[in-house]
Every structure is written in C-alpha cells, then in structure tokens.
Amino acid sequence: MSFEIHKKRREKLLEILEKCEAVAIIASAFEVKRNHDVDYPFRQDSSFHYLTGFDEPDSILVLNPFEQKRETLFLRERDPKMELWTGRRLGVDKACEKLSMDQSFKIELFEEKLSSLTSGASKWSYDLASDFTLSSKHKLCDFIQSKINTSRNRSMKLGSVAVSGSLEIKELLSGMRAFKDDSELASLQQAQVVTNMAHRAAMAYSAPGVGEHQLLALMESVYHFHQDCGTAYNSIVAGGENALILHYVDNNCQLSEGDLLLIDSGAESSYYAADITRTFPVNGVFTPAQKRIYEIVLEAQKKSCEHIRPGLLRADFHTVACEVLVQGLIDLKILKGSVSENMDTGEFKKYYPHGTGHLLGLDVHDIVHGLHFEKGMVTTNEPGLYLPADDENVPAEFRGIGIRIEDNYILTDDGHENLSVSIPKEIEEVENACRDDFRKFLPYITDPR
Ligand code: GLY
Ligand code: MN
Ligand code: MN
C-alpha cells in the first residue's frame, strides 16, 4: 500500500492549519473490550485513517505547521510478547519511513512531548474519540481534554505558548473529506459492486419461512468474501412491520407470506461505505396496496433526485421528497388538507420521520460540509413511508407497510451519477430479481479443492 496519498492530505491540512494558526491533534480509534480477553472488532477512526493510512490503535498524529518537523506520530512500540497474541506492530523505528512522517515517538511520550510539539500555534484543533484511553495506564484523553477545556474558557499557557482557542478538526477536514478523489471513488464503486451482489442474492433467496438472520448471513458473507471488504454499518433486515422500526437490527424474525422485506445494508470497501435500501415482497410479487405505497416512495426519490445538483441547497431535496410523499398520503386519504398545509403542520412526519439523505464516504453518515451540494460530494437519497399497523387514519390495506428506497449518488459538473444504478429498483426489475437463482450472485463460491 502506498501512503503517498495520505502524505498529500496531511500537507493540505497543514496549509489550512497555518492559515488558522492552529496545530492539529488527531487520535486513532482505540480497542474496546467486549469481555475478558475479547475486544469488539477494531476499526480505525476515519479521519485518522484519511490522514495516515495507519491502522493500529493507540496512536496520535500531531501536525504543526510552525515547526520544522511538522508531522509527528505517536504509536505503540514493538512488543514481541504482545505481538504473539494480538498481531504485528509497525513500531516507532519504521514509522517515519513507512508512513512518511517527520518524526515518531512511542505513545507513552505523548504527554511529555505535547507542549514542545504545539509551539508557535495559538489554537488547538483536535479530534479525540470520546473517553479515549490508550490503556488503563495512560489516560491521555483526560489530559488533553483538560487542557482543551481550559483553553476554551480562557487563554492559557501551555509551555511557552498561549493557547487562545480550539477548533473542531472535523470542520477543518470537512472541506477535504467531502470531496472524493479518484482512489476514494474507486473504493466507493467497489463497495457498490459488492453491495449489488448482496442485495440481489437476498432478493433471490427471500421466501416465506426464511429467517431475517439467514439473509443477514448471506449478505454479510458476500461482503466479507471480498478482499478489504466488510459491513459498513449494522444491517437492517426487516420483514413486515419490523420495517417501521427505522434502525431495526434484531434481525431475528421469520419472513411471512404476503409481507414486504426492507433491507438497509451496505458493504464497506477499503474503508468506504455503500448505504443501500431496497424493499421487496417476500414472495416476489407486490400486492396492489404495496405497489401503491412503493410507487409514491419511488416517485419521491426520482423527484428529489432532480435537486441533487451542484449549487443547490441540500435541504431542498428533502423538501421536494416530503412534498411528493405528502401528496401521496393525501391521495390515499391518510392526510387531509393541501400539501402546503401539511408541510406547515409537519403532521406527515408521523409517516416519514427521517431526513432524505446524508453525505457518504469513510463514515456512512459522513462528515458534513456546508449547506450546498458540490461537485465531488457523495450523497444518499432515501425517502420512505412507514404506516403504523394501529393508525386508524390509515386505510386497513396499507397498515403495517414500511418502505424505504435508498441509493447513492456522486455529484458531477451539472448533476449527479447514480453509483447504485445496478441494484434493482423499478417494480418489474425487483420482481424479476426475486425470481433469480441466488447462486448466480455468489459465483466466487466455488470448490476450493
Ligand atoms: N443506513 C443508515 C441510513 O440509511 O442512514
Ligand atoms: Mn442512509
Ligand atoms: Mn441506509
């Protein structure tokens, strides 16, 4: 792996820091204990990964544009005993050469070195995972946080430097992370390829009596079978009324004849996420009532897509989606009055309680940047309708239906490109996909002998 791209990103951030008269302190993610000697799966902090490509825990990057040695990495020392149990470490000696840093120190020296490393700057910009602890011995979070809190409240002396304020590193980085370069786009596209296979496999495998957990296993096996690939977030595999729980992750019910199945699941490829939702009939054929709701949601997505264009406010595409959904609810006699009256009262939020999209990238809900769409950004578009089973304003045939359709788009010069265009979405396409042979989408599962 080349770390050139991460070096370039650090250089760009250093330019920004210089203008702001700030230093940056960016901590890695840390290991979280599940029990005894078992940790939760480790995933590097996105900003730390973006700037270093270095995927070990217990590390801190300090960037100071006012020092000769501008890039400093603190990391774990080599430790043959620990490496026997938990894997290889890069170590302090190799870090500079491998990661193109100016200097590196063992993490235990962070506290001691910090004052000298932050000289020349009047502001600290930082990103520390909340309750960051390097180990039970090194509670550096407390240390940094106490300094930052003090500096927020009043000018403080840190070594020879007066620290007069702090900046959110996310704000400084958002103008970089929001715009995807070619290597990032390649990862995003690979995530879509793998996600397409998984959703198609799930559509083809789905049938009454199948467990939500089985579809989860099927989809996530597709993700994990691919190199540098995994699950971007906890998958939602929600049959029937479970779809009305927006972040349903129990995934432990059996699918029933006549129900819809909502699947919100995406792969993460080389750290970049896909975030895709499809809703389809468990038995492969939409009922007329399901079709009606599906068509409204699809129309909301198509109309709001017209507003995914550089220069337009991101808030506007949400408004457009809401207007289409509200019109649909009025047509179904679920809401009374006009579209504008309902937009004012917000009554519709009972049936559409979430936003229409968010930026996408290293994080599934990615770093926010500005209010407008701009070329190079990636966004989701994910309208839905959720009609409670016990809502007497909803005609009986529509009760308990939950539908969301979510795609991912990259902003181009004058519009957008749908990155997830290959994943079936039109009613006929979806019904055809449900009739497919699921083995077609698992072509890599061949006899290894
Ligand atoms: N998968 C979470 C979301 O769609 O925002
Ligand atoms: Mn989303
Ligand atoms: Mn989603």
Side-chain angles (χ1 to χ4, degrees):
M1 176 175 173
S2 161
F3 294 93
E4 242 348 86
I5 197 155
H6 306 283
K7 174 94 182 158
K8 287 207 176 103
R9 290 171 185 160
R10 290 198 297 277
E11 279 166 0
K12 204 163 162 188
L13 180 58
L14 277 159
E15 282 173 26
I16 298 171
L17 290 167
E18 190 168 3
K19 285 191 196 123
C20 306
E21 297 180 5
V23 292
I25 304 161
I26 299 135
S28 71
F30 52 96
E31 288 164 319
V32 181
K33 191 185 276 275
R34 181 171 157 183
N35 52 49
H36 303 283
D37 292 334
V38 180
D39 291 339
Y40 285 102
F42 177 78
R43 197 253 189 202
Q44 187 55 283
D45 172 79
S46 292
S47 292
F48 190 88
H49 171 81
Y50 184 78
L51 292 167
T52 66
F54 181 54
D55 293 342
E56 290 187 24
D58 295 358
S59 313
I60 300 177
L61 174 69
V62 180
L63 298 176
N64 185 345
F66 306 103
E67 284 285 313
Q68 201 194 354
K69 294 193 169 178
R70 304 189 305 166
E71 304 179 358
T72 305
L73 185 69
F74 293 88
L75 70 164
R76 303 179 303 184
E77 279 193 291
R78 297 285 316 266
D79 180 341
K81 259 198 208 153
M82 282 308 294
E83 287 178 60
L84 172 67
W85 290 96
T86 56
R88 296 182 189 92
R89 297 178 178 189
L90 177 63
V92 176
D93 295 344
K94 295 221 175 103
C96 285
E97 193 191 330
K98 173 129 195 219
L99 304 171
S100 298
M101 297 284 166
D102 294 330
Q103 57 186 348
S104 58
F105 298 106
K106 61 178 180 179
I107 185 67
E108 287 80 2
L109 291 180
F110 177 73
E111 191 167 335
E112 185 183 318
K113 297 266 180 199
L114 188 61
S115 295
S116 61
L117 290 177
T118 51
S119 64
S122 62
K123 296 187 197 83
W124 283 26
S125 149
Y126 60 93
D127 189 14
L128 298 171
S130 54
D131 76 355
F132 176 82
T133 54
L134 292 165
S135 72
S136 51
K137 276 188 263 159
H138 304 285
K139 297 211 165 183
L140 295 186
C141 175
D142 292 347
F143 168 74
I144 298 170
Q145 206 63 57
S146 67
K147 294 225 177 302
I148 287 165
N149 287 343
T150 321
S151 69
R152 262 197 196 133
N153 300 334
R154 63 190 138 85
S155 187
M156 67 164 287
K157 269 283 208 223
L158 178 77
S160 56
V161 187
V163 175
S164 64
S166 61
L167 301 165
E168 278 286 339
I169 188 74
K170 284 204 175 76
E171 274 168 33
L172 302 186
L173 266 183
S174 72
M176 295 168 62
R177 274 185 54 184
F179 302 99
K180 306 317 190 244
D181 63 28
D182 288 348
S183 77
E184 294 178 292
L185 187 53
S187 299
L188 285 160
Q189 281 165 332
Q190 175 61 9
Q192 296 291 338
V193 168
V194 177
T195 304
N196 178 33
M197 276 190 193
H199 275 270
R200 283 178 177 272
M203 285 180 191
Y205 193 82
S206 169
V210 168
E212 293 168 347
H213 66 283
Q214 290 174 306
L215 291 169
L216 175 78
L218 184 74
M219 296 184 80
E220 297 198 351
S221 77
V222 175
Y223 302 155
H224 288 283
F225 202 88
H226 287 83
Q227 181 94 36
D228 296 325
C229 214
T231 309
Y233 52 93
N234 293 332
S235 298
I236 296 163
V237 184
E241 287 175 31
N242 292 336
L244 279 76
I245 302 165
L246 297 176
H247 283 176
Y248 171 79
V249 290
D250 289 348
N251 302 333
N252 59 4
C253 294
Q254 281 200 327
L255 304 179
S256 301
E257 171 64 34
D259 274 353
L260 287 174
L261 172 61
L262 181 157
I263 297 183
D264 184 346
S265 178
E268 177 179 273
S269 180
S270 302
Y271 275 92
Y272 286 83
D275 182 9
I276 300 295
T277 309
R278 288 293 183 265
T279 311
F280 56 91
V282 166
N283 66 11
V285 183
F286 285 93
T287 65
Q290 291 166 348
K291 225 182 237 184
R292 252 193 90 213
I293 309 297
Y294 193 92
E295 278 165 349
I296 295 168
V297 177
L298 192 54
E299 170 77 359
Q301 201 206 40
K302 286 179 180 171
K303 276 265 156 55
S304 55
C305 256
E306 293 167 15
H307 290 251
I308 302 182
R309 261 194 291 143
L312 298 187
L313 276 170
R314 288 205 302 277
D316 285 355
F317 94 126
H318 175 59
T319 306
V320 172
C322 292
E323 285 168 353
V324 176
L325 296 172
V326 165
Q327 182 63 61
L329 292 167
I330 293 169
D331 294 344
L332 295 172
K333 310 217 176 326
I334 295 172
L335 292 177
K336 295 186 178 64
S338 67
V339 170
S340 68
E341 281 161 5
N342 277 283
M343 292 298 289
D344 287 345
T345 63
E347 186 84 352
F348 70 90
K349 290 181 190 165
K350 268 201 306 205
Y351 309 112
Y352 183 44
H354 59 78
T356 299
H358 49 86
L359 298 181
L360 181 71
L362 284 165
D363 295 325
V364 65
H365 287 191
D366 210 30
I367 204 158
V368 174
H369 180 70
L371 299 174
H372 294 86
F373 283 123
E374 293 179 61
K375 184 188 171 188
M377 288 179 165
V378 176
T379 184
T380 68
N381 183 359
E382 49 184 300
L385 278 178
Y386 311 89
L387 306 176
D390 59 357
D391 188 325
E392 293 186 355
N393 293 322
V394 176
E397 59 186 322
F398 302 124
R399 287 187 203 162
I401 290 180
I403 292 175
R404 177 162 67 257
I405 304 172
E406 176 171 26
D407 282 285
N408 304 157
Y409 305 81
I410 182 153
L411 274 288
T412 57
D413 280 320
D414 52 4
H416 60 260
E417 181 193 330
N418 183 354
L419 296 172
S420 41
V421 70
S422 306
I423 308 177
K425 181 167 68 175
E426 297 293 333
I427 285 181
E428 206 183 321
E429 281 177 342
V430 169
E431 291 186 341
N432 285 338
C434 290
R435 280 195 286 275
D436 239 327
D437 179 350
F438 73 91
R439 280 165 289 226
K440 245 172 73 182
F441 307 106
L442 311 169
Y444 49 83
I445 302 191
T446 52
D447 190 339
R449 288 159 299 176

